[in-house]
């Protein structure tokens, strides 16, 4: 395999992601003894971290297009070292002040690296591998998070501080090694496919990036996609579901891992790309309806809360309610979390897949992915802030139904984008913004990996 081939570079990026993001998701909650609660733990623990996440997607656009992938990943791996060091400091010296700042710095490093990862996954693979590559990279995070959550829940009250200290040292050692792997990531303009075609990556500058990113907000494609980017993360946060034990964690995270089958379905050329998108979209709607129905059912069910004392501390009341729900409606709760996991994974992956059908221009992909990241973070943060004072498994609120309506509306708008999906990627978002029509017959000269 050539060093500057897409396949080699994807392997190097995957190794970096596994060692950095995967290791962190595997050990973070265990080391800090935070029980997993939802997809936005940073919003629970430290609000400035959530606010930082909302801007980091936009920061990622400029970093990807102006600085390049290698330096983004090196910076991310260095922030990961600092974050691992902050955990080590907690165990060694008992100080948490360093950790708060390190968490924000780690998020500033993580989100641009995730933007960079997804841009690479959208731009580098051949058309017939694109969806499966996208699913594989998302599963790296999902699987590491699943195992990390199971380790955390299984160890609560059982692991000693000395054991966790040992893992903290190991985490720091692994983190110190990852920057050397990231050094192997080549600049995008050096990537050459097997057919000799270079990756489409035009020159740009800071002024151009501001202009082109602002121009995206005038295109009908982005305007139609924005509600889709924003609404479901808000709805998920407002659902305020708990994952109190390993079995329920497996139901939720296992559902997300099933996006691999979605990747296969979208890649196999049994029909035109637009048709595959529409069929997948119909399947997503069916699964979303099931997920919404089961989630609403578990929230409106009248649970037997005999024995609860409203004078108890809030944490004790919350624990009592969670125990009651998981005991009285466990089969329904398993269904809720399983379908929520499937829909969460499908919505994120399908959004990226749609973006990948609109352009093979790396710079344009970065702008779309960065906006998508920030929109999801904003939706999750708003949903958490609106629903943070609502009890777990509380009957559905106005905010919950509003977010549901917005999500349904976003699906309707997404349909009009899918209908415009071209059969090939020989069109940039610049040409779309300029009013040129998408073509089903345009030739794609860079489809081989």
């Amino acid at each position: 395999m050539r060093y500057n081939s897409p396949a080699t570079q994807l392997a190097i990026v995957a190794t970096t992601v596994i060692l950095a993001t995967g290791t962190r998701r595997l050990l973070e909650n265990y080391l800090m003894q935070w029980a997993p609660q939802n997809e936005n733990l940073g919003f629970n623990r430290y609000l400035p971290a959530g606010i930082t996440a909302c801007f980091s997607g936009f920061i990622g656009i400029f970093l990807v297009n102006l600085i390049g992938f290698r330096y983004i990943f090196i910076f991310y791996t260095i922030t990961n070292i600092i974050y691992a060091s902050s955990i080590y400091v907690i165990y060694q010296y008992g100080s948490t002040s360093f950790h708060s700042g390190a968490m924000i710095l780690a998020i500033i490093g993580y989100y641009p690296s995730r933007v960079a990862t997804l841009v690479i996954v959208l731009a580098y693979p051949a058309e017939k591998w694109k969806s499966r590559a996208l699913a594989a990279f998302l599963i790296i995070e999902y699987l590491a998070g699943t195992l990390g959550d199971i380790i955390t829940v299984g160890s609560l009250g059982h692991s000693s501080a000395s054991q966790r200290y040992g893992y903290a040292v190991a985490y720091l050692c692994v983190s110190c090694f990852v920057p050397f792997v990231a050094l192997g990531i080549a600049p995008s303009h050096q990537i050459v496919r097997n057919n000799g075609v270079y990756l489409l990556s035009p020159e740009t500058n800071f002024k151009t990036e501001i202009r082109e990113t602002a121009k995206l907000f005038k295109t009908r494609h982005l305007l139609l996609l924005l509600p889709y980017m924003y609404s479901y993360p808000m709805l998920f946060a407002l659902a305020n579901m708990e994952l109190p034990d390993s079995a329920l964690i497996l139901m939720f995270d296992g559902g997300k891992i099933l996006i691999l089958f979605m990747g296969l379905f979208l890649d196999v050329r049994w029909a035109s790309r637009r048709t595959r998108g529409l069929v997948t979209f119909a399947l997503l709607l069916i699964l979303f309806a099931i997920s919404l129905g089961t989630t609403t059912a578990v929230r409106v069910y009248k649970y037997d809360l005999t024995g609860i004392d409203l004078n108890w501390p809030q944490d004790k009341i919350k624990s009592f309610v969670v125990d009651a729900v998981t005991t009285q409606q466990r089969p329904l709760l398993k269904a809720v979390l399983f379908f929520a996991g499937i829909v969460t994974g499908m919505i994120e992956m399908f959004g990226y897949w749609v973006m990948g059908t609109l352009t093979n221009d790396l710079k344009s992909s970065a702008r779309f992915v960065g906006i998508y990241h920030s929109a999801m973070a904003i939706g999750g943060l708003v949903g958490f802030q609106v629903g943070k004072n609502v009890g777990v498994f509380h009957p559905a609120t106005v905010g919950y139904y509003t977010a549901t309506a917005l999500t349904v509306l976003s699906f309707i708008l997404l349909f009009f984008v899918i209908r415009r999906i071209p059969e090939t990627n020989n069109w940039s978002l610049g040409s779309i913004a300029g009013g040129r029509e998408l073509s089903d017959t345009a030739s794609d000269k860079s489809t081989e990996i």
Side-chain angles (χ1 to χ4, degrees):
M1 295 174 65
R2 294 175 292 108
Y3 165 71
N4 61 343
S5 72
T8 302
Q9 290 300 307
L10 283 168
I12 295 173
V13 172
T15 303
T16 304
V17 171
I18 291 171
L19 293 176
T21 307
T23 304
R24 176 177 172 177
R25 286 182 174 257
L26 183 67
L27 293 175
E28 179 184 26
N29 286 349
Y30 167 72
L31 293 175
M32 302 305 295
Q33 290 295 279
W34 284 317
Q37 297 179 25
N38 57 45
E39 290 294 277
N40 301 305
L41 288 173
F43 301 156
N44 287 343
R45 295 197 296 261
Y46 196 48
L47 179 59
I51 296 174
T52 303
C54 295
F55 292 98
S56 294
F58 289 103
I59 295 173
I61 296 173
F62 294 95
L63 293 179
V64 168
N65 287 347
L66 298 178
I67 297 178
F69 297 129
R70 176 185 292 168
Y71 298 107
I72 291 174
F73 280 103
I74 290 175
F75 175 72
Y76 168 50
T77 55
I78 291 173
T79 62
N80 210 45
I81 293 173
I82 296 172
Y83 182 76
S85 300
S86 73
I87 296 179
Y88 172 80
V89 168
I90 291 175
Y91 281 95
Q92 185 70 21
Y93 303 105
S95 173
T96 59
S97 56
F98 178 36
H99 180 73
S100 299
M103 179 184 291
I104 291 182
L105 186 61
I107 287 179
I108 293 174
Y110 166 71
Y111 272 87
S113 75
R114 197 168 193 264
V115 171
T117 299
L118 290 164
V119 172
I120 288 172
V121 174
L122 289 176
Y124 284 17
E127 186 64 35
K128 61 183 179 181
W129 294 100
K130 195 179 297 290
S131 297
R132 278 169 283 187
L134 179 58
F137 271 81
L138 291 175
I139 286 173
I140 289 174
E141 290 193 3
Y142 294 161
L143 184 60
T146 301
L147 296 176
D149 288 347
I150 292 173
I151 291 171
T152 303
V153 172
S155 66
L156 288 176
H158 301 290
S159 63
S160 65
S162 61
Q163 289 175 321
R164 295 194 297 275
Y165 173 75
Y167 281 107
V169 173
Y171 175 33
L172 179 58
C173 291
V174 172
S175 299
C176 290
F177 169 74
V178 186
F180 296 100
V181 179
L183 285 171
I185 298 174
S188 58
H189 66 270
Q190 295 182 3
I191 305 303
V192 184
R193 301 183 186 279
N194 287 341
N195 58 4
V197 175
Y198 279 82
L199 191 72
L200 181 59
S201 180
E203 292 292 328
T204 185
N205 55 51
F206 186 75
K207 184 178 180 179
T208 300
E209 283 307 308
I210 293 177
R211 183 178 67 250
E212 293 300 322
T213 302
K215 189 187 296 184
L216 269 184
F217 286 93
K218 298 180 182 179
T219 65
R220 63 177 180 270
H221 294 82
L222 182 64
L223 293 176
L224 291 173
L225 281 171
L226 271 176
Y228 177 83
M229 300 173 181
Y230 172 88
S231 58
Y232 186 76
M234 181 172 67
L235 174 61
F236 184 84
L238 282 166
N240 197 16
M241 292 180 290
E242 291 282 330
L243 304 175
D245 57 57
S246 299
L248 294 177
I249 290 171
L250 278 175
M251 297 303 295
F252 177 70
D253 289 336
K256 289 196 294 185
I257 292 173
L258 291 178
I259 62 169
L260 180 60
F261 294 101
M262 180 182 175
L264 290 170
F265 187 78
L266 287 169
D267 275 343
V268 177
R269 297 189 177 184
W270 54 271
S272 70
R273 187 160 64 172
R274 183 182 303 164
T275 300
R276 282 176 276 153
L278 288 171
V279 173
T280 304
F281 177 63
L283 177 61
L284 173 59
L285 290 180
I286 293 172
L287 292 171
F288 173 75
I290 296 173
S291 176
L292 182 64
T294 54
T295 301
T296 303
V298 84
R299 293 173 71 90
V300 301
Y301 182 83
K302 302 297 183 181
Y303 297 97
D304 181 9
L305 300 179
T306 303
I308 195 171
D309 187 344
L310 297 180
N311 294 318
W312 287 347
Q314 287 298 313
D315 288 346
K316 187 173 181 179
I317 293 176
K318 176 181 176 180
S319 178
F320 186 93
V321 172
V322 171
D323 288 344
V325 174
T326 54
T327 301
Q328 298 173 32
Q329 282 294 332
R330 190 170 183 81
L332 177 59
L333 188 56
K334 285 183 177 180
V336 168
L337 295 172
F338 179 68
F339 285 105
I342 293 176
V343 173
T344 298
M346 284 189 68
I347 283 180
E348 182 176 20
M349 179 178 166
F350 193 59
Y352 289 124
W353 180 83
V354 171
M355 293 176 199
T357 65
L358 296 177
T359 182
N360 61 351
D361 183 326
L362 186 145
K363 308 295 186 183
S364 297
S365 295
R367 296 174 197 128
F368 237 144
V369 171
I371 292 171
Y372 191 9
H373 256 273
S374 284
M376 288 192 298
I378 292 170
L381 181 60
V382 170
F384 175 75
Q385 292 301 313
V386 171
K388 66 180 180 180
N389 294 321
V390 178
V392 292
F393 301 114
H394 190 276
T397 61
V398 173
Y400 174 79
Y401 287 124
T402 301
T404 300
L406 183 59
T407 304
V408 172
L409 173 63
S410 76
F411 287 142
I412 297 173
L413 300 178
L414 177 64
F415 171 75
F416 292 102
V417 178
I418 299 172
R419 287 186 60 197
R420 302 295 297 168
I421 288 178
E423 189 55 33
T424 67
N425 270 11
N426 194 32
W427 296 86
S428 70
L429 290 176
S431 67
I432 294 174
R436 296 174 63 182
E437 293 296 324
L438 296 173
S439 171
D440 287 328
T441 59
S443 62
D444 183 4
K445 298 181 180 180
S446 57
T447 58
E448 295 299 324
I449 195 167

